[in-house]
Amino acid sequence: MKILHGTWIPQAEAAFIQPGQFCLWVETSEKRARRRQAGQSHPHQVPKAALATLLETELGIKPQTHRQLGDDIAPRHFLLPTAAKEPLPSLELSRYLEQDLPEAFDYQFWDIDCYTVPAERVLSLLNDLHFIALYNLAEVQLGVDLLFWYHYTQALKQVIQRDQYIPAMRYRALSVPPKKSRSKTQSKTTSAKTASGRTRKSKASTAVAKTSAKTSAKTSSFEIYPAWDLIGERYETDLKAYVDYMPLACAAGFSIPSKKSEFHDRESLLRHFSECFLTE
């Protein structure tokens, strides 16, 4: 049996507007031999080459134009429950393995090969996978994380179809370098050499220069980015409800593993996905 998993993972970039990707991976009952290398590779994952074949032949996922399906498969890092130096199987897979899960465990990052899905294709992909699993068209089952995202995207689609969104702007404050002041000696010398008639002109020029400097400082002290905002009571109500519904596995994926064993904030993760989904 193969268990389909997936979640939204924000990209760790220095840019002010951070993108994200929906990452799909497959858990199987077959255990892979552990490689002798740095990093913790998940032993029950379907690796890159086999994953590309499975997605294309069994699930009917087609690659993007002028690309191979394997080009969109890359490792991601998931914070998963771990015991005896092994990641615990998901609840769905544990039913087929017929093994008892330990009562005590820790959390550890595991490397997993994931198919990265652009935000604009998430809705159609989840619809197709849900249909395949529901009617047993392939030997696959949706994990609780992927099932959550299917239901949330259905609710979000209703909000967008009702045009409950508006154009918006994002404000970013920038650090302005401190101004260099002239020395007192230079100021006195300039004043001494200035005649009475030229002083008025100099003062006017100085005022214009100061105004120009202030305007320049103001224009360079912030940036404005175009964006979209979801509005309306329905979106906020659905968001709060789905924050409570979200399984912890949905908040466990990272593009770069953090030093601390901590998960994404669920509400922030849902808002980030919703905004990226709407923008695309």
Side-chain angles (χ1 to χ4, degrees), residues 84-103:
K85 299 182 180 180
E86 294 283 346
L88 298 182
S90 63
L91 293 177
E92 294 82 12
L93 184 61
S94 62
R95 300 169 186 169
Y96 297 96
L97 296 178
E98 297 181 355
Q99 66 182 35
D100 296 330
L101 298 178
E103 296 181 0

Side-chain angles (χ1 to χ4, degrees), residues 4-112:
L4 304 182
H5 296 283
T7 192
W8 179 257
I9 299 181
Q11 299 300 296
E13 296 183 4
F16 179 65
I17 302 296
Q18 290 190 340
Q21 292 175 323
F22 194 90
C23 296
L24 178 71
W25 64 282
V26 180
E27 182 186 22
T28 179
S29 55
E30 299 177 4
K31 185 177 180 180
R32 298 170 53 242
R34 180 175 294 181
R35 302 174 184 174
R36 295 183 179 180
Q37 63 179 16
Q40 299 292 332
S41 180
H42 196 294
H44 285 283
Q45 67 168 313
V46 176
K48 180 176 180 178
L51 179 60
T53 302
L54 185 151
L55 295 177
E56 192 164 7
T57 58
E58 296 187 35
L59 302 180
I61 298 177
K62 302 300 179 183
Q64 301 181 48
T65 308
H66 306 301
R67 292 175 65 89
Q68 299 293 327
L69 204 61
D71 297 338
D72 296 319
I73 297 178
R76 294 293 182 265
H77 313 279
F78 287 81
L79 187 60
L80 302 177
T82 305
K85 299 182 180 180
E86 294 283 346
L88 298 182
S90 63
L91 293 177
E92 294 82 12
L93 184 61
S94 62
R95 300 169 186 169
Y96 297 96
L97 296 178
E98 297 181 355
Q99 66 182 35
D100 296 330
L101 298 178
E103 296 181 0
F105 55 83
D106 296 322
Y107 283 97
Q108 180 178 317
F109 279 102
W110 293 90
D111 299 340
I112 298 177

Side-chain angles (χ1 to χ4, degrees), residues 27-230:
E27 182 186 22
T28 179
S29 55
E30 299 177 4
K31 185 177 180 180
R32 298 170 53 242
R34 180 175 294 181
R35 302 174 184 174
R36 295 183 179 180
Q37 63 179 16
Q40 299 292 332
S41 180
H42 196 294
H44 285 283
Q45 67 168 313
V46 176
K48 180 176 180 178
L51 179 60
T53 302
L54 185 151
L55 295 177
E56 192 164 7
T57 58
E58 296 187 35
L59 302 180
I61 298 177
K62 302 300 179 183
Q64 301 181 48
T65 308
H66 306 301
R67 292 175 65 89
Q68 299 293 327
L69 204 61
D71 297 338
D72 296 319
I73 297 178
R76 294 293 182 265
H77 313 279
F78 287 81
L79 187 60
L80 302 177
T82 305
K85 299 182 180 180
E86 294 283 346
L88 298 182
S90 63
L91 293 177
E92 294 82 12
L93 184 61
S94 62
R95 300 169 186 169
Y96 297 96
L97 296 178
E98 297 181 355
Q99 66 182 35
D100 296 330
L101 298 178
E103 296 181 0
F105 55 83
D106 296 322
Y107 283 97
Q108 180 178 317
F109 279 102
W110 293 90
D111 299 340
I112 298 177
D113 290 339
C114 297
Y115 171 63
T116 55
V117 187
E120 69 271 14
R121 297 182 63 186
V122 172
L123 182 61
S124 60
L125 176 67
L126 292 178
N127 285 340
D128 294 341
L129 295 180
H130 183 263
F131 182 84
I132 291 172
L134 183 63
Y135 292 99
N136 298 318
L137 301 181
E139 191 180 349
V140 296
Q141 180 179 338
L142 298 187
V144 65
D145 49 352
L146 203 62
L147 194 60
F148 166 83
W149 285 110
Y150 167 76
H151 288 294
Y152 179 71
T153 53
Q154 294 299 310
L156 184 61
K157 181 179 69 173
Q158 299 297 321
V159 174
I160 295 177
Q161 287 180 340
R162 287 172 169 79
D163 296 331
Q164 295 179 349
Y165 56 89
I166 57 173
M169 293 185 292
R170 298 285 183 266
Y171 174 90
R172 181 190 186 186
L174 300 176
S175 58
V176 180
K179 298 179 181 179
K180 294 182 180 179
S181 59
R182 295 188 303 170
S183 63
K184 293 181 179 179
T185 305
Q186 184 181 1
S187 299
K188 289 180 179 179
T189 304
T190 304
S191 299
K193 291 182 179 180
T194 304
S196 58
R198 294 171 59 191
T199 302
R200 295 192 185 94
K201 184 178 180 182
S202 177
K203 286 181 178 180
S205 301
T206 303
V208 173
K210 287 183 178 180
T211 304
S212 177
K214 288 181 180 179
T215 305
S216 176
K218 287 182 179 179
T219 55
S220 62
S221 62
F222 66 90
E223 293 176 342
I224 298 295
Y225 294 83
W228 294 93
D229 271 345
L230 288 155

